[in-house]
Amino acid sequence: MNCEPFWKFNSKGAALIDEGKLVKFLSDIGYASYYHTANLTVEPTYIFKEKWIIEPIIPIRIHTETINAIEKGIIDEQVLPIELRQDVIAKLISSKTLTKKEVLASLPVLDKPIITDMVNIGRFFYNNGILTVTGDIISLTDSGITDGYVWRSRLINRMFTPCPLEELDNAEYTRFLKNISGSKVEGRFQHNPDRFKSLMSLIGYMLHSYKDCSNPRSLILMDASLSDEPCGRTGKGLLVKGLDKLHKVSIQDGKTFDTKNRFRFSDVDADVDIVHIDDVPNDFNFELFFSLITEGITIEAKYANKYFIPFEKSPKIVISTNYTVKGNGSSHEARKYEYELSNYYSEKFTPRDEFGHLLFTDWSTTDWMHFDNLAMQCVKYYLKNGVYIPASKDVDYKKFVSSTSRDFAEWIESKTLEINTRYFKSELYADYSQFCEGQPEIKNNEMNKYLRSYAQYKGLKFKDDHIGNRRYVEFS
């Protein structure tokens, strides 16, 4: 390329760098800055653009890739002769000019918007065109992008080929979704149309990158087991892996995730669509994620800019667990969709055992065609109907047990508590203590919390009052 020299040599033959002209050169070869908010006082994300495709890039990569480009002769020999090339490179390396904040802060701001999903429209970028999904249609066009930029990570390196809906009924991924959404009836798993529709709507929700500030929700995936023992291997990971085949997913280890570590999201790039907190433990504190779900995400990595991605541009959150995520009340419920995966699959019987090969890894072109069509049907269903969550007594019971204890749940369910009847707490506690063989896990003064949880589980009003010095509770 022909560019204005950003270097010169002094009388002693030493190379000097003109930082203003270097910024112009960096801009010409594709570097820019991108601000996630209108507030230009915060740190930007640095971007590399190639036509209408962009990707986030950290300063050290700007340094190394610019040096590599100069070494390979990106600048015409008439402008920078070969015999001087190494002198200019050596000066750039020794001065660390390419990573200086003052230089990078002067990069021009991205000149067009980044194309994202709209409230009623989802867009997917396949090799053979742009797939537009609404609540009514799925249409493929081969028109190019002229009005904005698309993250490189949003490009799907496959051809999209429409197929008849009836062909999807027996497709491998359809069978997998039907299995993990099925129900056990008289000891046998059966297809559950209600739970299958629910799962489709949730997949559509996660694949539609638009975020509604009036309804900020994470997705919580858990096992359909009433046992205290964790099950696992039910297909949660494969379900999220399916999302990753269409959107960029950042996986965080839920067991070691430290909310106090300011670098906890250091590997979450600006183009990440979904953050998966994988396999969180029994004592996971969901409340610590409230601001992440409703406000946005702060990204801080060592030796890189710290920046904030606001809610509308931030990734959606999926949390997977072998337990129940604890927490009751409107604040918790308003921030999550919960879905139980059936125990069709387990450590002893995996999808590989059923299908004879690994999902995704060993797929044919036809399998991928079915997967893409089914995924787009999920988005279409979601845009038409919203998220559908059928009532689940098992989920409600698991929440109740999680907020109290297995012993307490068994004890109170064995009793016949009448509505609008006073029960003295000392008598209830004595009865519970006897049920626990004199070793209840709570003290008398902690009984109130458990009784209140029981009322919430049953949808009852809870009254705590006293007659003289004797306290009683009443359900209504």
Side-chain angles (χ1 to χ4, degrees), residues 21-132:
K21 292 178 180 178
L22 176 61
V23 170
K24 175 67 167 58
F25 171 72
L26 292 174
S27 174
D28 289 344
I29 62 176
Y31 295 109
S33 59
Y34 172 66
Y35 290 86
H36 295 273
T37 69
N39 181 8
L40 300 186
T41 62
V42 299
E43 297 280 5
T45 296
Y46 300 120
I47 298 292
F48 178 72
K49 57 180 181 175
E50 188 175 10
K51 297 181 180 178
W52 51 272
I53 301 170
I54 60 172
E55 61 181 312
I57 192 166
I58 59 175
I60 192 63
R61 272 192 62 201
I62 295 177
H63 173 90
T64 55
E65 293 188 14
T66 302
I67 295 297
N68 289 339
I70 295 173
E71 281 184 331
K72 292 177 180 178
I74 190 172
I75 301 173
D76 290 346
E77 288 184 27
Q78 295 89 339
V79 180
L80 179 60
I82 294 177
E83 61 271 18
L84 298 178
R85 189 181 295 166
Q86 288 305 317
D87 293 330
V88 173
I89 289 173
K91 183 61 179 179
L92 288 171
I93 293 174
S94 64
S95 65
K96 300 180 181 178
T97 308
L98 287 167
T99 57
K100 284 180 67 175
K101 274 195 172 185
E102 293 80 4
V103 170
L104 298 181
S106 301
L107 287 172
V109 176
L110 205 62
D111 56 335
K112 294 178 184 177
I114 297 175
I115 296 174
T116 59
D117 291 345
M118 293 180 283
V119 60
N120 295 317
I121 298 175
R123 282 180 282 198
F124 299 83
F125 303 90
Y126 284 87
N127 287 343
N128 57 330
I130 302 170
L131 195 72
T132 301

Side-chain angles (χ1 to χ4, degrees), residues 7 62 175 264 267:
W7 63 91
I62 295 177
R175 288 161 57 196
R264 62 191 180 277
D267 59 347

Side-chain angles (χ1 to χ4, degrees), residues 202-373:
L202 289 167
I203 292 172
Y205 169 73
M206 295 306 297
L207 291 178
H208 184 233
S209 62
Y210 175 83
K211 297 186 72 178
D212 180 0
C213 62
S214 67
N215 189 30
R217 304 268 190 148
S218 61
L219 171 60
I220 297 178
L221 300 173
M222 53 190 178
D223 299 329
S225 172
L226 296 178
S227 168
D228 289 331
E229 295 299 319
C231 296
R233 304 297 298 272
T234 55
K236 298 185 293 292
L238 277 175
L239 182 59
V240 177
K241 192 172 183 178
L243 302 176
D244 189 46
K245 298 304 177 183
L246 294 158
H247 278 345
K248 186 173 180 178
V249 177
S250 172
I251 300 177
Q252 310 292 316
D253 185 347
K255 289 184 177 178
T256 61
F257 190 83
D258 182 4
T259 56
K260 296 179 181 178
N261 180 1
R262 74 179 197 269
F263 301 122
R264 62 191 180 277
F265 292 122
S266 60
D267 59 347
V268 178
D269 295 321
D271 59 341
V272 167
D273 296 295
I274 298 168
V275 171
H276 177 203
I277 315 295
D278 182 32
D279 198 16
V280 301
N282 192 30
D283 60 353
F284 173 71
N285 190 346
F286 184 57
E287 286 188 18
L288 295 177
F289 282 74
F290 279 11
S291 62
L292 173 66
I293 295 166
T294 60
E295 297 173 17
I297 184 171
T298 297
I299 310 296
E300 184 175 2
K302 293 179 180 178
Y303 317 117
N305 283 353
K306 173 184 176 180
Y307 59 92
F308 176 73
I309 304 178
F311 169 80
E312 64 274 11
K313 297 179 181 179
S314 64
K316 291 187 175 181
I317 308 296
V318 57
I319 298 167
S320 60
T321 180
N322 295 333
Y323 305 92
T324 300
V325 172
K326 297 178 181 178
N328 293 309
S330 58
S331 294
H332 285 79
E333 299 306 316
R335 288 175 170 87
K336 61 184 177 181
Y337 291 122
E338 293 177 302
Y339 192 84
E340 288 183 306
L341 276 72
S342 76
N343 295 317
Y344 183 90
Y345 296 114
S346 66
E347 199 169 36
K348 297 179 180 179
F349 182 69
T350 68
R352 185 175 188 173
D353 294 327
E354 176 161 18
F355 299 114
H357 55 252
L358 296 173
L359 295 187
F360 307 115
T361 304
D362 299 327
W363 270 1
S364 66
T365 302
T366 301
D367 290 325
W368 281 111
M369 176 186 71
H370 290 157
F371 168 79
D372 286 328
N373 276 266

